[in-house]
Amino acid sequence: MKKILVIGGGITGLSAAHRLQCLAEESGEQIGVTLIESEDRLGGKLRTLHEDGFIMETGADSIVARHEGIRTLIGELGLGERVVHNATGISYLYWDGELHAIPADAVFGIPMSEESLMNTTLVSEEGKRAALKDFEPASHDFTLDSPVGAFLRAFLGDELVERQIAPVLSGVYSGSIDSLTLGSTLPYLLEYKNEYGSIIKGLGANRAKFESQANKKFLSFDGGLSVLVDALEEAMPDVEVMKGTAAQRLRKTGGGYELDVAGRGTLRADAVILAIPDGAIRALLGEKAPDDLFGKFQNASILTMYLGYDLPDSDLPADGTGFITTGNSGVVCDACTWTSRKWAHTSPEGRLLVRLFYKNSNPAFGKIKEMDREALVSLARADLEESLRIHAEPAAVEVTPWFGLMPKYGLGHRSAVEELEEMLSENWPAVRAAGASFHGVGIGLCIEDGRKQAKHIFDRLMQDR
């Protein structure tokens, strides 16, 4: 019997283990799959908390619905009736003490039409005229490896980019737009500029694609994202699951691989899927992990706080779902999601629930990291008093720090992933790295990657019989 180890019980590892079980069932092959997770529970960053009638997520609060992998997985697990979609509404930028609506006719704050550009209240007339230069013919030498910030400023001007686009992109991709490449963020913008001669015209010509994604583009489950984690665990009766088990060292042997496991001795396998962060892989491979390679992977930090109130959700601005802060905002947080408005299932009684985000790109983050819980709650309350005029005492609070654990795709990320895959192929041919550290941030992409790596390993083992 072929044996496969999946190291990491987050959504990537769970998806890989489940897919391996399905492939074995479909083919009739005898395959032993063992899933190893260092924590006492599965799910990794996905964890749903229930407190005082509120539903709160410690990690991501939703899944991008368009990913084929999540739709397939939901069908396989029979979770269709438990899916909930986000409410749609106005997203704001908080600037100079006021909420400014991000124009609906925009993608990540980038206008899809001249009308959208002219309607924004964040940009001066001079800034709008600068952005109109995007319509003028211009030669350029930008590539997919170029910083997205430099590309956007070259054609849309500094003011539109800094006030409206950069806060949105930085919020989505957890990094400065000057350290993110076009290829790792919005590769289609380069295609549009080359084909249509204008970023704005290109977005407008492809409007249908973006408008089809605008409504109900995110999904969760009626009991939170842990519903998915629990369903995956229940659907894997043939997978040996080892929780609270630390993988210590992976070695290649003449007949396959050996993994030293704390308190469990040594496990042997024909193939391994590493569904863990880059730092954990580095530790697992020990001296076999090149410092110059693993030093290229970058990780960011974030701290989030939920505050739930005995106030009606209707106290928030009508039709809004949250705001992102920009320069001269007067508040410390980087963003605030009006969770009870965006996700009705998180507050069945219609009470107000908000979530604030503080990222390591924030100038105050060094001080924030050192704050205790009481100081953090005071900071969050001050931000809500300033931005939303909420002065009440919260009925529920949840503080979640993720320090150094948020993958950040910098300028050299693509080449680092290619180098890692080449190294594994040459020296560890039946070992695959999977997950957010390498192939895409977001639950949907992690699910697809876990399933993809599972299929790759399965096909390889079948060929080697």
Side-chain angles (χ1 to χ4, degrees):
M1 177 190 296
K2 297 290 186 179
K3 295 185 178 180
I4 304 173
L5 296 178
V6 178
I7 303 176
I11 191 60
T12 305
L14 284 167
S15 301
H18 178 260
R19 183 61 179 146
L20 286 168
Q21 177 184 265
C22 292
L23 290 168
E25 292 174 349
E26 294 166 3
S27 64
E29 297 288 344
Q30 294 295 311
I31 295 178
V33 180
T34 299
L35 176 66
I36 300 170
E37 168 54 45
S38 60
E39 296 189 28
D40 293 328
R41 64 172 188 84
L42 300 178
K45 293 187 181 73
L46 297 191
R47 186 184 183 189
T48 305
L49 303 177
H50 298 258
E51 182 180 344
D52 196 35
F54 295 109
I55 294 178
M56 299 175 281
E57 306 287 355
T58 62
D61 68 359
S62 59
I63 306 171
V64 177
R66 70 174 181 270
H67 292 298
E68 182 64 32
I70 183 59
R71 294 197 298 269
T72 301
L73 186 58
I74 287 173
E76 292 174 352
L77 298 174
L79 292 176
E81 294 184 358
R82 303 198 63 180
V83 170
V84 295
H85 289 279
N86 63 296
T88 58
I90 300 170
S91 294
Y92 293 94
L93 284 172
Y94 190 76
W95 182 75
D96 198 22
E98 295 183 12
L99 291 172
H100 296 259
I102 300 174
D105 193 25
V107 177
F108 295 111
I110 308 170
M112 286 199 288
S113 65
E114 183 176 344
E115 181 181 8
S116 174
L117 171 63
M118 294 302 152
N119 286 339
T120 181
T121 60
L122 276 161
V123 182
S124 68
E125 292 303 315
E126 182 180 355
K128 292 174 182 178
R129 286 194 296 273
L132 287 174
K133 293 180 180 178
D134 174 56
F135 294 103
E136 300 174 3
S139 60
H140 70 83
D141 55 2
F142 289 103
T143 70
L144 290 177
D145 291 321
S146 300
V148 66
F151 174 80
L152 291 170
R153 290 190 190 93
F155 304 112
L156 296 174
D158 292 339
E159 188 176 333
L160 175 63
V161 172
E162 294 305 322
R163 289 191 182 180
Q164 183 166 301
I165 301 173
V168 181
L169 282 179
S170 296
V172 172
Y173 292 100
S174 299
S176 164
I177 60 172
D178 295 308
S179 65
L180 299 167
T181 66
L182 280 165
S184 64
T185 54
L186 308 175
Y188 51 81
L189 293 185
L190 181 61
E191 175 188 337
Y192 293 166
K193 184 63 181 179
N194 290 337
E195 181 177 353
Y196 299 95
S198 161
I199 298 169
I200 297 174
K201 283 184 179 179
L203 290 171
N206 291 272
R207 182 186 309 277
K209 169 186 174 182
F210 297 102
E211 290 180 344
S212 68
Q213 298 172 4
N215 295 323
K216 295 185 176 181
K217 64 178 179 179
F218 300 105
L219 65 84
S220 184
F221 302 90
D222 52 12
L225 291 175
S226 284
V227 168
L228 177 61
V229 174
D230 295 341
L232 276 166
E233 184 174 7
E234 293 173 7
M236 298 191 300
D238 298 331
V239 174
E240 179 185 14
V241 178
M242 300 169 63
K243 302 178 189 176
T245 304
Q248 296 179 317
R249 187 56 55 89
L250 181 66
R251 296 184 300 276
K252 185 179 183 300
T253 66
Y257 303 91
E258 291 182 346
L259 178 71
D260 294 336
V261 181
R264 301 291 187 103
T266 300
L267 303 180
R268 293 173 174 80
D270 299 287
V272 183
I273 295 177
L274 302 172
I276 50 180
D278 58 281
I281 293 179
R282 187 178 194 173
L284 200 61
L285 300 184
E287 66 278 1
K288 301 294 185 181
D291 289 340
D292 59 342
L293 166 57
F294 281 89
K296 296 176 182 178
F297 292 101
Q298 303 177 35
N299 291 279
S301 298
I302 190 170
L303 183 143
T304 73
M305 281 187 275
Y306 277 103
L307 279 76
Y309 292 89
D310 288 323
L311 296 171
D313 172 86
S314 56
D315 282 0
L316 293 173
D319 300 322
T321 56
F323 67 80
I324 299 170
T325 58
T326 185
N328 196 31
S329 68
V331 299
V332 179
C333 72
D334 295 286
C336 177
T337 296
W338 305 341
T339 303
S340 50
R341 176 73 58 77
K342 188 175 180 180
W343 298 101
H345 73 284
T346 64
S347 182
E349 299 175 359
R351 294 187 296 157
L352 176 61
L353 178 65
V354 298
R355 189 182 193 185
L356 296 96
F357 298 80
Y358 299 84
K359 302 182 179 183
N360 68 336
S361 57
N362 191 312
F365 195 77
K367 294 180 180 179
I368 292 171
K369 282 185 65 175
E370 303 302 320
M371 291 181 178
D372 60 17
R373 180 182 174 88
E374 182 179 356
L376 288 169
V377 175
S378 295
L379 172 63
R381 291 188 62 186
D383 279 349
L384 292 176
E385 289 175 5
E386 173 69 24
S387 59
L388 299 178
R389 309 296 185 260
I390 297 173
H391 300 279
E393 183 84 19
V397 175
E398 176 59 34
V399 180
T400 306
W402 293 109
F403 295 151
L405 294 173
M406 309 300 293
K408 178 182 176 181
Y409 292 1
L411 298 179
H413 181 77
R414 282 202 309 165
S415 61
V417 172
E418 292 171 358
E419 189 177 342
L420 172 63
E421 292 178 337
E422 182 178 348
M423 186 270 287
L424 291 176
S425 178
E426 291 179 358
N427 304 307
W428 310 73
V431 175
R432 301 287 289 186
S437 287
F438 314 105
H439 302 124
V441 176
I443 300 172
L445 289 173
C446 287
I447 290 172
E448 290 182 345
D449 193 39
R451 293 170 66 88
K452 174 184 175 181
Q453 304 305 336
K455 183 66 164 60
H456 177 92
I457 287 295
F458 179 83
D459 289 345
R460 180 184 181 87
L461 293 184
M462 293 303 99
Q463 293 171 2
D464 292 344
R465 285 181 303 175

